[in-house]
């Protein structure tokens, strides 16, 4: 859900997102397929995003949980889910092109 990723320090990056420029803190590199990340806007609460990659035969499955924040309308949740679905489809295409 972003582009123009620029490293800041360690697992912290800055990127342009559909909600504006944000810092993004990624989980530490690990062998368990955990790709959790937290979006950190300049103003407002942080947004935690759980993401996992699980091996499945010669491929893998990627899951991303979209949380409905307390201040979110149903339309906002639908918009976020659509953004995530678009990005997961893009990731799938990239990975299948490599295979």
């Amino acid at each position: 859900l972003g582009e123009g990723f620029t490293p800041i320090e360690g697992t912290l990056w800055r990127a342009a997102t559909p909600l504006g420029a944000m810092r993004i803190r990624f989980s530490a590199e690990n062998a368990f397929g955990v790709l959790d990340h937290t979006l950190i806007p300049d103003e407002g609460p942080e947004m935690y995003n759980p993401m996992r990659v699980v091996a499945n035969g010669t491929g893998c499955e990627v899951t991303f949980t979209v949380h409905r924040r307390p201040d979110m309308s149903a339309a906002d949740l639908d918009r976020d889910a659509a953004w995530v679905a678009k990005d997961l489809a893009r990731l799938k295409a990239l990975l299948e092109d490599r295979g």
Side-chain angles (χ1 to χ4, degrees):
L1 291 177
E3 57 189 26
F5 285 79
T6 305
I8 296 174
E9 179 181 352
T11 61
L12 189 63
W13 293 68
R14 179 167 283 286
T17 78
L19 298 174
M22 290 199 195
R23 290 167 290 149
I24 304 166
R25 183 182 325 107
F26 291 95
S27 59
E29 187 174 330
N30 63 82
F32 305 107
V34 175
L35 299 174
D36 295 1
H37 54 284
T38 301
L39 299 176
I40 308 166
D42 290 336
E43 296 181 19
E46 295 182 354
M47 294 166 269
Y48 172 67
N49 299 288
M51 186 172 176
R52 303 289 186 273
V53 179
V54 178
N56 184 359
T58 60
C60 66
E61 296 180 21
V62 176
T63 59
F64 186 105
T65 302
V66 178
H67 290 289
R68 183 172 183 179
R69 296 183 307 279
D71 62 335
M72 274 184 120
S73 68
D76 290 339
L77 179 63
D78 289 345
R79 181 201 64 217
D80 279 7
W83 284 340
V84 170
K86 180 181 171 189
D87 276 357
L88 289 175
R90 190 167 136 203
L91 175 62
K92 181 179 188 287
L94 286 170
L95 293 174
E96 287 176 346
D97 283 349
R98 290 181 60 188

